[in-house]
Amino acid sequence: MNRDAKPNDEDLSVRLARAEAALDAEREKTAILERHLDDVRRMLPPPDAKPRRWWRW
């Protein structure tokens, strides 16, 4: 698109639709990563838990 040319409404609506689709995709990725992070946090011991010794000395 020429910098001097004024975009018409159709061009703007297409660009808006693409931007909204990209935003929706990023929101879905964020939701997936947040669920994964929650799963990992559930696997970790609580912060006040004492570390277990794995050796028997």
Side-chain angles (χ1 to χ4, degrees):
M1 177 170 28
N2 187 352
R3 287 183 164 262
D4 297 331
K6 196 171 188 182
N8 62 27
D9 289 342
E10 188 174 319
D11 290 340
L12 291 177
S13 60
V14 168
R15 290 175 61 189
L16 178 61
R18 287 181 184 162
E20 287 174 340
L23 180 60
D24 288 342
E26 291 302 317
R27 284 181 175 150
E28 181 61 29
K29 286 180 193 176
T30 301
I32 290 169
L33 289 173
E34 286 174 345
R35 287 192 301 268
H36 180 66
L37 183 58
D38 288 340
D39 292 343
V40 170
R41 284 181 178 148
R42 278 192 293 276
M43 288 188 275
L44 292 173
D48 59 344
K50 294 181 180 176
R52 296 186 318 168
R53 296 177 71 178
W54 56 271
W55 62 88
R56 296 179 183 238
W57 305 357

